[in-house]
Amino acid sequence: MSEADFIFSKSKELALAGIKNFPIDFLQTKELTEIGVPDKVLVLGKEFFGSYEVSSATGDFVLTFSNEFEAKYIVYASRNRKSKIYLPRELTLIKRSVDDYEKYLDSLLIDIKKDYDKKINNGKNLSSVSNEIFKKLNLIRL
């Protein structure tokens, strides 16, 4: 099996199995704050004096957060391309949602690696193959 075939088949397999939706499938509260964002791809910027930036991929929109978990939450939630994101009011719930989602993404990556090792002889491109599968599924792991 070629890597291109693997990417196609694994993407299809994961999509048919159903990809969990962030944040809905990872929320443990109904006490939320609404944040308006553009319905564009949002990316995580670098930490700058204890603040974390989230901007559009084109750089024309910027929000600043006091911690990494809020910033990651917004980036992960933006994959749905909606103009409003609902953020839990408690930081511990934001952190738990992000941690649970990242564990879920890591489990997908482990599954991809296991199948890649089985199906691709002497494959050396696991990272790029995993990235391509995530891209097809509209997922990102920060």
Side-chain angles (χ1 to χ4, degrees):
M1 174 181 269
S2 72
E3 287 182 344
D5 290 338
F6 177 78
I7 290 167
F8 176 80
S9 66
K10 192 63 181 179
S11 299
K12 187 175 180 179
E13 174 192 322
L14 291 171
L16 289 173
I19 298 295
K20 290 185 179 181
N21 193 2
F22 187 86
I24 293 167
D25 294 330
F26 298 89
L27 281 177
Q28 291 99 20
T29 184
K30 296 200 188 280
E31 294 182 30
L32 306 168
T33 300
E34 181 182 299
I35 296 178
V37 296
D39 54 354
K40 297 181 176 183
V41 174
L42 298 181
V43 295
L44 182 63
K46 298 194 187 278
E47 185 263 341
F48 188 69
F49 293 111
S51 294
Y52 293 85
E53 283 189 350
V54 172
S55 65
S56 62
T58 56
D60 59 347
F61 172 80
V62 177
L63 282 173
T64 304
F65 295 92
S66 60
N67 68 72
E68 181 181 19
F69 293 103
E70 288 176 321
K72 283 183 170 185
Y73 185 100
I74 296 298
V75 172
Y76 286 143
S78 75
R79 115 180 221 276
N80 298 321
R81 306 289 189 277
K82 296 191 177 176
S83 61
K84 294 177 185 167
I85 293 175
Y86 297 92
L87 187 70
R89 292 189 182 139
E90 292 182 43
L91 181 58
T92 57
L93 297 176
I94 295 169
K95 183 180 183 319
R96 185 180 313 149
S97 295
V98 169
D99 284 344
D100 290 348
Y101 185 61
E102 288 180 340
K103 286 176 188 171
Y104 169 70
L105 294 175
D106 291 344
S107 73
L108 293 178
L109 289 169
I110 289 167
D111 182 50
I112 291 168
K113 180 186 184 323
K114 188 170 53 173
D115 279 359
Y116 181 83
D117 290 343
K118 279 185 203 172
K119 296 178 180 177
I120 305 294
N121 293 330
N122 300 319
K124 295 181 173 99
N125 297 317
L126 175 62
S127 180
S128 63
V129 166
S130 297
N131 287 338
E132 193 60 34
I133 291 169
F134 266 40
K135 185 176 174 184
K136 286 186 176 293
L137 297 171
N138 191 26
L139 298 173
I140 185 170
R141 172 64 166 92
L142 302 174

